[in-house]
Amino acid sequence: MTTQLQLPYGPHWGTLASLDDVATVETDALLRLRVRVDEAIRRRTILVVTGRFGTGKSFGVARAVEERAPVHDVDVVWLEMQASTGQRDQWHELYYEIHGYYPAKSATIGDVIRMLKHDLAERPRVLVLDEAQEVHKQVSKQLRWLHEPKSSDFGLIFSGTPNLWHDLLPGAIRSRTGHHVKVKGLSDEDAVKLLPQFHPIFATADPDDLRRWNRTRARGSFRWWARILENAVDLLPHLDGKLTDRAMAVICADLPEGMS
């Protein structure tokens, strides 16, 4: 994944994006993700991406969509789902992401769905629902119905937590899904191989320390390592200049383990 690119939609890395020497690193799962996202865009299929919080799935999807959508001249509709919204609100938010304004307050769910049926057939699009574990089941079913006709012209990507696949997505969607990509956290060996490429600060650490910190503190979360990098850039010059156990004790202080 990259942290230097400023995505026009989807998640951002905040201050991490502006740090010097941050480089691109990609796990095997994210390489597969790029291929599957391209297929969903090109063939207008359904793709499901699942993984724990912090594994980089949302950023990986955003990066792949940003790369591949222009190649296929496809518009991107990115919607981060919210836990507190009802079915009507979710449809209105989707309408807003397409049009830039909300439908009339008097519009019913049926009204919005009928309007979106026309919208989603008028030109090629990819619809990305991030935090898709928050999508209401009835909304998912209706989206599948909108996707089904030959006149529809959009790829559909659900990205969410592991329980999305079996517990939350209706069988009608699972049976029509082209691929299900499971994004796992960094393995201990991934940490040793990829983190020094991510930023040279990690090259100052003993590989055995990286393995141990990944196993006991990060628990495979790339997001945790990204926060460690932000802290290390600020604090390491005031310590011994290397990621030793003593330095990590200061840098990691009060950070939740794994953030999963």
Side-chain angles (χ1 to χ4, degrees), residues 13-84:
W13 282 98
T15 57
L16 193 63
S18 62
L19 293 181
D20 292 334
D21 300 322
V22 175
T24 297
V25 294
E26 291 180 312
T27 64
D28 291 341
L30 294 179
L31 290 172
R32 294 198 307 276
L33 189 57
R34 179 183 293 130
V35 174
R36 299 313 183 194
V37 167
D38 179 87
E39 181 179 15
I41 293 172
R42 175 170 44 87
R43 298 179 55 196
R44 319 288 196 264
T45 57
I46 298 176
L47 170 67
V48 177
V49 182
T50 60
R52 293 185 296 110
F53 293 114
T55 54
K57 62 184 181 298
S58 294
F59 196 87
V61 170
R63 171 74 190 280
V65 167
E66 183 182 55
E67 287 181 351
R68 303 312 302 169
V71 172
H72 301 295
D73 192 24
V74 168
D75 287 348
V76 178
V77 180
W78 184 288
L79 184 59
E80 183 172 334
M81 310 306 296
Q82 303 295 324
S84 60

Side-chain angles (χ1 to χ4, degrees), residues 180-199:
H180 174 200
V181 178
K182 300 177 183 179
V183 180
K184 298 180 180 180
L186 288 174
S187 69
D188 295 347
E189 293 309 312
D190 280 339
V192 171
K193 179 177 67 175
L194 297 177
L195 289 173
Q197 300 173 28
F198 177 48
H199 195 279

Side-chain angles (χ1 to χ4, degrees), residues 19-195:
L19 293 181
D20 292 334
D21 300 322
V22 175
T24 297
V25 294
E26 291 180 312
T27 64
D28 291 341
L30 294 179
L31 290 172
R32 294 198 307 276
L33 189 57
R34 179 183 293 130
V35 174
R36 299 313 183 194
V37 167
D38 179 87
E39 181 179 15
I41 293 172
R42 175 170 44 87
R43 298 179 55 196
R44 319 288 196 264
T45 57
I46 298 176
L47 170 67
V48 177
V49 182
T50 60
R52 293 185 296 110
F53 293 114
T55 54
K57 62 184 181 298
S58 294
F59 196 87
V61 170
R63 171 74 190 280
V65 167
E66 183 182 55
E67 287 181 351
R68 303 312 302 169
V71 172
H72 301 295
D73 192 24
V74 168
D75 287 348
V76 178
V77 180
W78 184 288
L79 184 59
E80 183 172 334
M81 310 306 296
Q82 303 295 324
S84 60
T85 55
Q87 292 184 43
R88 183 176 181 275
D89 291 331
Q90 289 187 352
W91 285 115
H92 280 234
E93 290 295 332
L94 176 55
Y95 185 95
Y96 177 86
E97 291 301 322
I98 291 176
H99 292 279
Y101 56 87
Y102 290 103
K105 290 184 179 181
S106 59
T108 66
I109 290 176
D111 293 334
V112 176
I113 291 174
R114 283 188 289 273
M115 289 186 285
L116 288 174
K117 183 179 180 181
H118 174 267
D119 296 333
L120 294 171
E122 66 179 2
R123 66 159 281 108
R125 287 186 173 91
V126 58
L127 170 58
V128 184
L129 301 181
D130 196 20
E131 304 297 347
Q133 69 274 4
E134 307 298 347
V135 179
H136 286 269
K137 279 193 175 182
Q138 191 58 36
V139 174
S140 297
K141 290 178 180 179
Q142 293 285 6
L143 283 169
R144 195 276 301 170
W145 176 78
L146 289 172
H147 182 267
E148 189 70 13
K150 292 183 178 179
S151 60
S152 73
D153 199 13
F154 69 101
L156 182 56
I157 300 176
F158 294 91
S159 176
T161 52
N163 64 331
L164 172 66
W165 180 250
H166 285 295
D167 300 340
L168 301 175
L169 282 182
I173 290 181
R174 294 198 303 271
S175 66
R176 289 168 172 79
T177 296
H179 293 283
H180 174 200
V181 178
K182 300 177 183 179
V183 180
K184 298 180 180 180
L186 288 174
S187 69
D188 295 347
E189 293 309 312
D190 280 339
V192 171
K193 179 177 67 175
L194 297 177
L195 289 173

